Amino acid sequence: MKDLPDSGKLAFGFEEHRAALVGHCYRMLGSIAEADDAVQETLVRAWRAMDRFEGRASPRTWLYSIATRVCLDALAKSGRRARPMELGPAYSIDGPLTPLPADSWLEPIPDALAVPSDADPAERLALRQSIRLAFLAALQHLPPKQRAVLLLAEVLGWPATEIAETLETSVASVNSALQRARATVADLGLKDTDLQSPQSDAQAALLSRYVDAFERYDMAAFTALLHEEVILSMPPLALWLQGHESIRGWFLGRGAVCRGSRFVPTTACGSPAFGQYHDDGSGGPLPPWSLIVLELSGGRIAAMTHFLDAKTLFPRFGLPMELPR
């Protein structure tokens, strides 16, 4: 990975914009690892072009422009990332446990890495919404330039003239791309999810009941917290399940390995999340098992994504690699 000279960081205050840039690149690419690489390339390009910065836009806006072009270059070489439920119908609980390559899937990101700490509360709420897994999955259906136009217009609030300059195209082309992108996202029929403060009493109570039910492995109490059309997925496995009966059957059958789990709270993709630790029967500390990202709707749990690559994800989220028994 290329290094930006320290003098450049200090002279232009590049580092204060890192979270904003990571969030933007993550929305474009759907991968935290690729977003980190894109931001590093953005800062290198910005350092090399500093003598051409004319100050007509803010430093952050200028960096966003560079980052957008870096992401478009990256997308020209990569495929679409997805969630398991986009690849085929729901499985039965005895369906095949087929893993797909890591670059097939959307990756989760810690909120703190994607949402600038200097954003005001309303902006923070909107930015958290823009890194939701469902929204990211919808973005993956857009051609790269439409994706960029939608994000620059809808998330960052840029005028069409500024987007056109960044993408080296016409205002008419930008407006056309924005219209098509909005139509595609609307056609996907995204369900509304609860966008509450992580500290809201209602959300805190729901999450407390979820953790209590799962750690006691009380599947009746657990199922009572789930939306009727709840979805369980487990990247990198292609298998996904829907509905109370299937999910309860999974956790009482092949998924019973989760019995005795312990949870540590975190946040990911603008949603409540937990590091799940698994009792492997060794009698020692509990090893990491999955990063669980929850999506809430109507005061219930609408989706549970268990990202199974714990060895990669837990360090990114600052989660310990073992938990005392």
Side-chain angles (χ1 to χ4, degrees), residues 63 123 198:
L63 290 169
E123 184 182 7

Side-chain angles (χ1 to χ4, degrees), residues 155-307:
V155 176
L156 301 184
W158 283 22
T161 51
E162 201 163 356
I163 298 173
E165 183 177 352
T166 292
L167 300 181
E168 299 180 339
T169 189
S170 67
V171 170
S173 177
V174 166
N175 288 332
S176 176
L178 181 58
Q179 184 177 13
R180 293 196 303 274
R182 285 170 172 165
T184 298
V185 171
D187 287 345
L188 292 172
L190 298 181
K191 295 181 179 178
D192 291 335
T193 54
D194 296 342
L195 187 60
Q196 300 174 323
S197 164
Q199 290 78 37
S200 72
D201 291 342
Q203 179 169 301
L206 174 62
L207 298 178
S208 178
R209 293 196 299 272
Y210 164 80
V211 171
D212 175 67
F214 203 107
E215 290 189 343
R216 290 189 296 107
Y217 224 66
D218 182 341
M219 286 297 113
F222 172 73
T223 304
L225 304 174
L226 307 181
H227 193 279
E228 289 183 1
E229 299 180 353
V230 62
I231 289 174
L232 170 68
S233 59
M234 296 164 279
L237 301 180
L239 177 142
W240 66 279
L241 303 169
Q242 184 169 30
H244 289 191
E245 183 177 351
S246 289
I247 290 174
R248 183 171 54 246
W250 171 264
F251 282 118
L252 291 175
R254 298 166 81 184
V257 66
C258 291
R259 191 183 298 273
S261 291
R262 297 261 305 281
F263 287 170
V264 173
T266 184
T267 57
C269 298
S271 301
F274 296 91
Q276 179 189 6
Y277 295 81
H278 155 64
D279 186 352
D280 62 359
S282 68
L286 303 183
W289 182 251
S290 75
L291 179 81
I292 304 171
V293 181
L294 302 181
E295 295 168 74
L296 312 181
S297 179
R300 293 185 180 275
I301 297 167
M304 302 173 289
T305 306
H306 288 236
F307 291 95

Side-chain angles (χ1 to χ4, degrees), residues 29-262:
L29 302 171
S31 160
I32 182 173
E34 291 181 8
D36 282 341
D37 288 345
V39 169
Q40 190 67 13
E41 176 63 23
T42 295
L43 298 183
V44 169
R45 291 190 191 184
W47 165 251
R48 292 171 177 167
M50 275 187 62
D51 59 339
R52 299 193 297 277
F53 177 64
E54 299 175 353
R56 292 182 297 170
S58 70
R60 181 171 292 186
T61 297
W62 181 61
L63 290 169
Y64 272 134
S65 296
I66 298 172
T68 300
R69 292 191 289 271
V70 169
C71 289
L72 289 173
D73 290 345
L75 288 170
K77 305 172 186 175
S78 63
R80 179 169 74 93
R81 290 176 177 265
R83 301 197 291 176
M85 47 279 209
E86 296 180 272
L87 302 183
Y91 285 62
S92 64
I93 59 175
D94 57 355
L97 302 181
T98 306
L100 296 181
D103 61 3
S104 302
W105 309 116
L106 290 170
E107 296 177 353
I109 192 170
D111 287 13
L113 294 185
V115 179
S117 59
D118 59 356
D120 62 47
E123 184 182 7
R124 288 182 65 82
L125 204 61
L127 290 174
R128 287 179 60 236
Q129 177 71 34
S130 73
I131 56 172
R132 292 295 181 96
L133 286 171
F135 181 62
L136 291 170
L139 291 174
Q140 293 288 313
H141 288 269
L142 301 176
K145 283 197 174 181
Q146 284 188 31
R147 193 182 308 179
V149 167
L150 185 71
L151 290 174
L152 293 173
E154 300 286 328
V155 176
L156 301 184
W158 283 22
T161 51
E162 201 163 356
I163 298 173
E165 183 177 352
T166 292
L167 300 181
E168 299 180 339
T169 189
S170 67
V171 170
S173 177
V174 166
N175 288 332
S176 176
L178 181 58
Q179 184 177 13
R180 293 196 303 274
R182 285 170 172 165
T184 298
V185 171
D187 287 345
L188 292 172
L190 298 181
K191 295 181 179 178
D192 291 335
T193 54
D194 296 342
L195 187 60
Q196 300 174 323
S197 164
Q199 290 78 37
S200 72
D201 291 342
Q203 179 169 301
L206 174 62
L207 298 178
S208 178
R209 293 196 299 272
Y210 164 80
V211 171
D212 175 67
F214 203 107
E215 290 189 343
R216 290 189 296 107
Y217 224 66
D218 182 341
M219 286 297 113
F222 172 73
T223 304
L225 304 174
L226 307 181
H227 193 279
E228 289 183 1
E229 299 180 353
V230 62
I231 289 174
L232 170 68
S233 59
M234 296 164 279
L237 301 180
L239 177 142
W240 66 279
L241 303 169
Q242 184 169 30
H244 289 191
E245 183 177 351
S246 289
I247 290 174
R248 183 171 54 246
W250 171 264
F251 282 118
L252 291 175
R254 298 166 81 184
V257 66
C258 291
R259 191 183 298 273
S261 291
R262 297 261 305 281

